[in-house]
Amino acid sequence: MNQKIINRRDLLKGGATVAIASMLPSWAWANSKNGRLRTAHVGLGAMGKGDLEAISSHEKVDVVALCDVDANMLAPLKKEFPKAKLYSDYRTMMEEMADDIDAVVVSTPDHTHAPASMLAMDHGKAVYCQKPLTHHVSEARAMNKKAAEKKLVTQMGIQVHSFYDYKLATLLIQSGIIGKVKEVRAWSPKNWGTDDPKPQGSDPIPEGLDWNLWLGTAADRPYKEGLYHPGNWRKVLDFGCGTLGDMGVHIFDTPYNALALDVPKTIKNECRKPTGFGFPEENTVTYEFPGTKYTTKNFKWVWYDGVNAPGKDKNLILPNNEELPGQGAMFVGEKGNLLLPHFMQLPKHIVDGKYKELDLSKLKKSGKIGEVIRDYDVEGKRHYHQFVDACLGKDECSAPFSYASRLTETILLGVIAGRFPNKTLHWDNATARFEEDEANQFLDGTYRAF
């Protein structure tokens, strides 16, 4: 196997990407064939299949290409999409079909999000990329820059961003229902971490899986059954972003959007010492942000994950000693709290230790919010269809890379802080560097040629 190493920064600048013989102009998406959108899908595991189903349910979509490194993922889709060409390597797909694709949907493990998306954008394609947008901070900034330069339609796969409950919470917070927000506490009991050491030895690669392509730009390593593929890669530093990168993006999204936050000033992760292989199993991450018009001057955000999340805090005590929802966020304001369960539940207003009925009359009268939609099928497809309609020039995306990159950067800074347990890291937004130089090595990395 070719072990040549490519610097990520060089690749992200375009120097190491496949040569492009025929580049579509940035406006090509709005002139798709017969007013329809031709989509290519990279990564067809559980999330990828869901993305494919939702995108293809739009009446104006034609699925023209399907790509996965595991033939077992592609096989069941042959009958459903008989006209789509099948690929194992997204680079080959783009080289052969660039003129026949309008948009690319990237649903791979995290470490391949940026390489596949950047290549698609280099070819002038609109991109829908699953969350977290990237595996490294440098990639998030590079993807945002590329999308802006080429004026491409982009959307990150944070589907709940388009759900009624979350949009309602945003409007309530911005209407001042609890005054300025002093802090947010968010949690998930998921456990995308491991204290196990890096496995030794190797196992036979399953038939149909191209292990080299699955690794992609990540460092070479032997295949081990029950690890990495399918499903466990989120636990591993080289491939995923832990629970914070998985559920944190969803649960952070609404508070981040509602409070008009940028990236944090400081980050501290209370967790076990790094092992160099897997993410910590329990994290308490504290962010401090510059204040906004919706927050107090000294605003902080605390994230908890793992089986014991969220632990005990006076601001997480519910009326009548009710149990907290399994996942969610609590806005702590000057005039009360707003609880936002995750997901498909309305936010709850709490004042002086008691629930207060939500008064939506003003919001409805202003036209800012409609009636409650409790149809999961409609809600689940909305974010995807918004992307398709934007590609056809009929809508705008609510989670473009300009937004998604900042949210992802914030999340990834907390992931990096896990390398320095109990130490406060200071982030300089202007230079995209930590004051603590030893942390800067984790902003970037290297790409393996494969």
mmCIF file of all heavy atoms in Angstrom, residues 173 176-185 259 294-296 299 315 330-339 349-352:
data_model
loop_
_atom_site.group_PDB
_atom_site.id
_atom_site.type_symbol
_atom_site.label_atom_id
_atom_site.label_comp_id
_atom_site.label_asym_id
_atom_site.label_seq_id
_atom_site.Cartn_x
_atom_site.Cartn_y
_atom_site.Cartn_z
ATOM 1 N N ILE A 173 -36.437 32.235 22.689
ATOM 2 C CA ILE A 173 -35.241 32.808 23.321
ATOM 3 C C ILE A 173 -34.984 34.217 22.802
ATOM 4 O O ILE A 173 -34.717 35.151 23.564
ATOM 5 C CB ILE A 173 -34.017 31.914 23.079
ATOM 6 C CG1 ILE A 173 -34.136 30.619 23.890
ATOM 7 C CG2 ILE A 173 -32.723 32.640 23.415
ATOM 8 C CD1 ILE A 173 -34.135 30.815 25.391
ATOM 9 N N GLY A 176 -36.993 37.041 24.171
ATOM 10 C CA GLY A 176 -36.713 37.474 25.533
ATOM 11 C C GLY A 176 -37.554 36.799 26.585
ATOM 12 O O GLY A 176 -37.700 37.317 27.699
ATOM 13 N N ILE A 177 -38.097 35.618 26.299
ATOM 14 C CA ILE A 177 -38.997 34.943 27.222
ATOM 15 C C ILE A 177 -38.368 34.680 28.581
ATOM 16 O O ILE A 177 -39.047 34.701 29.604
ATOM 17 C CB ILE A 177 -39.508 33.618 26.598
ATOM 18 C CG1 ILE A 177 -40.621 33.010 27.451
ATOM 19 C CG2 ILE A 177 -38.384 32.630 26.409
ATOM 20 C CD1 ILE A 177 -41.293 31.810 26.817
ATOM 21 N N ILE A 178 -37.027 34.466 28.610
ATOM 22 C CA ILE A 178 -36.349 34.275 29.904
ATOM 23 C C ILE A 178 -35.279 35.346 30.133
ATOM 24 O O ILE A 178 -34.377 35.179 30.953
ATOM 25 C CB ILE A 178 -35.727 32.869 30.015
ATOM 26 C CG1 ILE A 178 -34.676 32.616 28.923
ATOM 27 C CG2 ILE A 178 -36.797 31.790 29.998
ATOM 28 C CD1 ILE A 178 -33.899 31.320 29.108
ATOM 29 N N GLY A 179 -35.395 36.446 29.407
ATOM 30 C CA GLY A 179 -34.395 37.504 29.527
ATOM 31 C C GLY A 179 -33.093 37.104 28.873
ATOM 32 O O GLY A 179 -33.039 36.169 28.068
ATOM 33 N N LYS A 180 -32.023 37.793 29.194
ATOM 34 C CA LYS A 180 -30.717 37.421 28.648
ATOM 35 C C LYS A 180 -30.281 36.087 29.257
ATOM 36 O O LYS A 180 -30.515 35.816 30.441
ATOM 37 C CB LYS A 180 -29.684 38.508 28.950
ATOM 38 C CG LYS A 180 -29.886 39.784 28.131
ATOM 39 C CD LYS A 180 -28.760 40.763 28.364
ATOM 40 C CE LYS A 180 -28.925 42.015 27.515
ATOM 41 N NZ LYS A 180 -28.778 41.734 26.070
ATOM 42 N N VAL A 181 -29.654 35.275 28.433
ATOM 43 C CA VAL A 181 -29.263 33.933 28.867
ATOM 44 C C VAL A 181 -27.877 33.975 29.497
ATOM 45 O O VAL A 181 -26.926 34.499 28.911
ATOM 46 C CB VAL A 181 -29.292 32.948 27.683
ATOM 47 C CG1 VAL A 181 -28.832 31.559 28.127
ATOM 48 C CG2 VAL A 181 -30.707 32.878 27.093
ATOM 49 N N LYS A 182 -27.778 33.432 30.715
ATOM 50 C CA LYS A 182 -26.516 33.428 31.458
ATOM 51 C C LYS A 182 -25.665 32.208 31.128
ATOM 52 O O LYS A 182 -24.438 32.291 31.089
ATOM 53 C CB LYS A 182 -26.805 33.466 32.960
ATOM 54 C CG LYS A 182 -27.534 34.717 33.423
ATOM 55 C CD LYS A 182 -27.732 34.706 34.923
ATOM 56 C CE LYS A 182 -28.745 33.654 35.347
ATOM 57 N NZ LYS A 182 -29.055 33.728 36.814
ATOM 58 N N GLU A 183 -26.320 31.092 30.916
ATOM 59 C CA GLU A 183 -25.581 29.864 30.591
ATOM 60 C C GLU A 183 -26.510 28.864 29.931
ATOM 61 O O GLU A 183 -27.741 28.972 30.011
ATOM 62 C CB GLU A 183 -24.956 29.239 31.838
ATOM 63 C CG GLU A 183 -25.937 28.790 32.901
ATOM 64 C CD GLU A 183 -25.231 28.190 34.104
ATOM 65 O OE1 GLU A 183 -24.528 28.950 34.816
ATOM 66 O OE2 GLU A 183 -25.392 26.978 34.338
ATOM 67 N N VAL A 184 -25.905 27.902 29.281
ATOM 68 C CA VAL A 184 -26.627 26.766 28.708
ATOM 69 C C VAL A 184 -25.949 25.502 29.210
ATOM 70 O O VAL A 184 -24.711 25.421 29.242
ATOM 71 C CB VAL A 184 -26.611 26.794 27.164
ATOM 72 C CG1 VAL A 184 -27.106 25.463 26.600
ATOM 73 C CG2 VAL A 184 -27.462 27.934 26.630
ATOM 74 N N ARG A 185 -26.759 24.542 29.618
ATOM 75 C CA ARG A 185 -26.235 23.230 30.001
ATOM 76 C C ARG A 185 -26.883 22.196 29.096
ATOM 77 O O ARG A 185 -28.114 22.141 28.989
ATOM 78 C CB ARG A 185 -26.502 22.942 31.485
ATOM 79 C CG ARG A 185 -25.687 23.876 32.390
ATOM 80 C CD ARG A 185 -25.862 23.623 33.861
ATOM 81 N NE ARG A 185 -25.019 24.568 34.600
ATOM 82 C CZ ARG A 185 -23.797 24.294 35.057
ATOM 83 N NH1 ARG A 185 -23.283 23.079 34.856
ATOM 84 N NH2 ARG A 185 -23.099 25.214 35.703
ATOM 85 N N LEU A 259 -28.777 32.022 20.200
ATOM 86 C CA LEU A 259 -28.004 33.032 20.920
ATOM 87 C C LEU A 259 -27.021 33.784 20.026
ATOM 88 O O LEU A 259 -26.283 34.641 20.501
ATOM 89 C CB LEU A 259 -27.258 32.377 22.082
ATOM 90 C CG LEU A 259 -28.165 31.707 23.125
ATOM 91 C CD1 LEU A 259 -27.331 30.934 24.141
ATOM 92 C CD2 LEU A 259 -29.042 32.741 23.815
ATOM 93 N N TYR A 294 -28.223 38.448 23.035
ATOM 94 C CA TYR A 294 -29.156 37.535 23.689
ATOM 95 C C TYR A 294 -28.579 36.916 24.968
ATOM 96 O O TYR A 294 -29.256 36.147 25.638
ATOM 97 C CB TYR A 294 -29.556 36.408 22.736
ATOM 98 C CG TYR A 294 -30.174 36.896 21.451
ATOM 99 C CD1 TYR A 294 -29.526 36.708 20.230
ATOM 100 C CD2 TYR A 294 -31.401 37.556 21.460
ATOM 101 C CE1 TYR A 294 -30.091 37.158 19.046
ATOM 102 C CE2 TYR A 294 -31.968 38.020 20.284
ATOM 103 C CZ TYR A 294 -31.306 37.806 19.081
ATOM 104 O OH TYR A 294 -31.872 38.266 17.915
ATOM 105 N N THR A 295 -27.316 37.223 25.292
ATOM 106 C CA THR A 295 -26.672 36.634 26.464
ATOM 107 C C THR A 295 -26.165 37.721 27.410
ATOM 108 O O THR A 295 -26.037 38.890 27.031
ATOM 109 C CB THR A 295 -25.467 35.752 26.059
ATOM 110 O OG1 THR A 295 -24.380 36.590 25.657
ATOM 111 C CG2 THR A 295 -25.820 34.800 24.936
ATOM 112 N N THR A 296 -25.842 37.301 28.610
ATOM 113 C CA THR A 296 -25.151 38.199 29.518
ATOM 114 C C THR A 296 -23.696 38.327 29.062
ATOM 115 O O THR A 296 -23.218 37.568 28.202
ATOM 116 C CB THR A 296 -25.197 37.638 30.953
ATOM 117 O OG1 THR A 296 -24.638 36.322 30.966
ATOM 118 C CG2 THR A 296 -26.621 37.603 31.471
ATOM 119 N N PHE A 299 -20.940 34.707 29.646
ATOM 120 C CA PHE A 299 -21.795 33.590 29.262
ATOM 121 C C PHE A 299 -20.962 32.319 29.140
ATOM 122 O O PHE A 299 -19.879 32.329 28.553
ATOM 123 C CB PHE A 299 -22.483 33.878 27.925
ATOM 124 C CG PHE A 299 -23.195 32.683 27.344
ATOM 125 C CD1 PHE A 299 -24.407 32.261 27.874
ATOM 126 C CD2 PHE A 299 -22.644 31.970 26.298
ATOM 127 C CE1 PHE A 299 -25.056 31.151 27.361
ATOM 128 C CE2 PHE A 299 -23.291 30.868 25.768
ATOM 129 C CZ PHE A 299 -24.505 30.460 26.301
ATOM 130 N N ASN A 315 -29.359 24.221 38.383
ATOM 131 C CA ASN A 315 -30.127 24.718 37.238
ATOM 132 C C ASN A 315 -30.758 23.601 36.420
ATOM 133 O O ASN A 315 -31.475 23.871 35.453
ATOM 134 C CB ASN A 315 -29.223 25.570 36.342
ATOM 135 C CG ASN A 315 -28.861 26.886 36.994
ATOM 136 O OD1 ASN A 315 -29.736 27.639 37.422
ATOM 137 N ND2 ASN A 315 -27.560 27.170 37.094
ATOM 138 N N MET A 330 -30.670 23.043 28.578
ATOM 139 C CA MET A 330 -31.364 23.971 29.467
ATOM 140 C C MET A 330 -30.777 25.365 29.294
ATOM 141 O O MET A 330 -29.573 25.579 29.516
ATOM 142 C CB MET A 330 -31.221 23.545 30.924
ATOM 143 C CG MET A 330 -31.936 24.463 31.920
ATOM 144 S SD MET A 330 -33.724 24.286 31.905
ATOM 145 C CE MET A 330 -33.885 22.813 32.969
ATOM 146 N N PHE A 331 -31.621 26.301 28.866
ATOM 147 C CA PHE A 331 -31.241 27.708 28.822
ATOM 148 C C PHE A 331 -31.504 28.292 30.206
ATOM 149 O O PHE A 331 -32.631 28.206 30.707
ATOM 150 C CB PHE A 331 -32.083 28.483 27.816
ATOM 151 C CG PHE A 331 -31.946 28.069 26.380
ATOM 152 C CD1 PHE A 331 -32.644 26.978 25.886
ATOM 153 C CD2 PHE A 331 -31.138 28.793 25.505
ATOM 154 C CE1 PHE A 331 -32.552 26.611 24.550
ATOM 155 C CE2 PHE A 331 -31.035 28.436 24.166
ATOM 156 C CZ PHE A 331 -31.738 27.337 23.685
ATOM 157 N N VAL A 332 -30.503 28.912 30.806
ATOM 158 C CA VAL A 332 -30.645 29.533 32.126
ATOM 159 C C VAL A 332 -30.613 31.041 31.929
ATOM 160 O O VAL A 332 -29.584 31.619 31.553
ATOM 161 C CB VAL A 332 -29.520 29.088 33.075
ATOM 162 C CG1 VAL A 332 -29.690 29.738 34.447
ATOM 163 C CG2 VAL A 332 -29.489 27.566 33.196
ATOM 164 N N GLY A 333 -31.756 31.679 32.165
ATOM 165 C CA GLY A 333 -31.862 33.106 31.884
ATOM 166 C C GLY A 333 -32.046 33.954 33.132
ATOM 167 O O GLY A 333 -32.185 33.445 34.249
ATOM 168 N N GLU A 334 -32.077 35.236 32.931
ATOM 169 C CA GLU A 334 -32.253 36.180 34.037
ATOM 170 C C GLU A 334 -33.672 36.134 34.598
ATOM 171 O O GLU A 334 -33.897 36.482 35.757
ATOM 172 C CB GLU A 334 -31.937 37.601 33.555
ATOM 173 C CG GLU A 334 -30.489 37.816 33.148
ATOM 174 C CD GLU A 334 -30.250 39.186 32.551
ATOM 175 O OE1 GLU A 334 -31.124 39.670 31.783
ATOM 176 O OE2 GLU A 334 -29.218 39.795 32.866
ATOM 177 N N LYS A 335 -34.631 35.691 33.782
ATOM 178 C CA LYS A 335 -36.030 35.693 34.209
ATOM 179 C C LYS A 335 -36.659 34.296 34.174
ATOM 180 O O LYS A 335 -37.882 34.172 34.103
ATOM 181 C CB LYS A 335 -36.844 36.644 33.321
ATOM 182 C CG LYS A 335 -36.377 38.084 33.357
ATOM 183 C CD LYS A 335 -37.341 39.007 32.649
ATOM 184 C CE LYS A 335 -37.465 38.692 31.169
ATOM 185 N NZ LYS A 335 -38.348 39.659 30.453
ATOM 186 N N GLY A 336 -35.828 33.270 34.226
ATOM 187 C CA GLY A 336 -36.358 31.919 34.206
ATOM 188 C C GLY A 336 -35.520 31.019 33.319
ATOM 189 O O GLY A 336 -34.454 31.418 32.817
ATOM 190 N N ASN A 337 -35.979 29.793 33.104
ATOM 191 C CA ASN A 337 -35.261 28.807 32.298
ATOM 192 C C ASN A 337 -36.154 28.300 31.164
ATOM 193 O O ASN A 337 -37.387 28.341 31.259
ATOM 194 C CB ASN A 337 -34.832 27.613 33.152
ATOM 195 C CG ASN A 337 -33.807 27.992 34.206
ATOM 196 O OD1 ASN A 337 -33.328 29.129 34.258
ATOM 197 N ND2 ASN A 337 -33.477 27.039 35.063
ATOM 198 N N LEU A 338 -35.508 27.788 30.123
ATOM 199 C CA LEU A 338 -36.225 27.124 29.038
ATOM 200 C C LEU A 338 -35.557 25.782 28.794
ATOM 201 O O LEU A 338 -34.366 25.722 28.476
ATOM 202 C CB LEU A 338 -36.211 27.971 27.761
ATOM 203 C CG LEU A 338 -37.137 27.449 26.639
ATOM 204 C CD1 LEU A 338 -38.593 27.736 27.001
ATOM 205 C CD2 LEU A 338 -36.792 28.096 25.290
ATOM 206 N N LEU A 339 -36.331 24.710 28.961
ATOM 207 C CA LEU A 339 -35.828 23.358 28.742
ATOM 208 C C LEU A 339 -36.181 22.922 27.328
ATOM 209 O O LEU A 339 -37.349 23.016 26.921
ATOM 210 C CB LEU A 339 -36.455 22.391 29.753
ATOM 211 C CG LEU A 339 -36.189 20.896 29.536
ATOM 212 C CD1 LEU A 339 -34.701 20.585 29.731
ATOM 213 C CD2 LEU A 339 -37.048 20.058 30.473
ATOM 214 N N HIS A 349 -41.178 26.085 29.580
ATOM 215 C CA HIS A 349 -40.839 27.338 30.241
ATOM 216 C C HIS A 349 -40.915 27.121 31.751
ATOM 217 O O HIS A 349 -41.921 26.641 32.269
ATOM 218 C CB HIS A 349 -41.817 28.425 29.789
ATOM 219 C CG HIS A 349 -41.469 29.793 30.238
ATOM 220 N ND1 HIS A 349 -42.348 30.865 30.164
ATOM 221 C CD2 HIS A 349 -40.329 30.311 30.787
ATOM 222 C CE1 HIS A 349 -41.770 31.947 30.629
ATOM 223 N NE2 HIS A 349 -40.545 31.640 31.014
ATOM 224 N N ILE A 350 -39.857 27.494 32.475
ATOM 225 C CA ILE A 350 -39.805 27.304 33.922
ATOM 226 C C ILE A 350 -39.513 28.649 34.592
ATOM 227 O O ILE A 350 -38.521 29.315 34.258
ATOM 228 C CB ILE A 350 -38.719 26.286 34.308
ATOM 229 C CG1 ILE A 350 -38.963 24.945 33.611
ATOM 230 C CG2 ILE A 350 -38.667 26.087 35.826
ATOM 231 C CD1 ILE A 350 -37.814 23.956 33.749
ATOM 232 N N VAL A 351 -40.370 29.042 35.519
ATOM 233 C CA VAL A 351 -40.183 30.292 36.262
ATOM 234 C C VAL A 351 -40.398 30.002 37.748
ATOM 235 O O VAL A 351 -41.426 29.418 38.142
ATOM 236 C CB VAL A 351 -41.166 31.385 35.790
ATOM 237 C CG1 VAL A 351 -40.961 32.656 36.612
ATOM 238 C CG2 VAL A 351 -40.971 31.668 34.308
ATOM 239 N N ASP A 352 -39.426 30.398 38.567
ATOM 240 C CA ASP A 352 -39.525 30.211 40.020
ATOM 241 C C ASP A 352 -39.845 28.764 40.391
ATOM 242 O O ASP A 352 -40.671 28.490 41.278
ATOM 243 C CB ASP A 352 -40.582 31.139 40.620
ATOM 244 C CG ASP A 352 -40.225 32.617 40.470
ATOM 245 O OD1 ASP A 352 -39.015 32.920 40.466
ATOM 246 O OD2 ASP A 352 -41.142 33.439 40.334
#
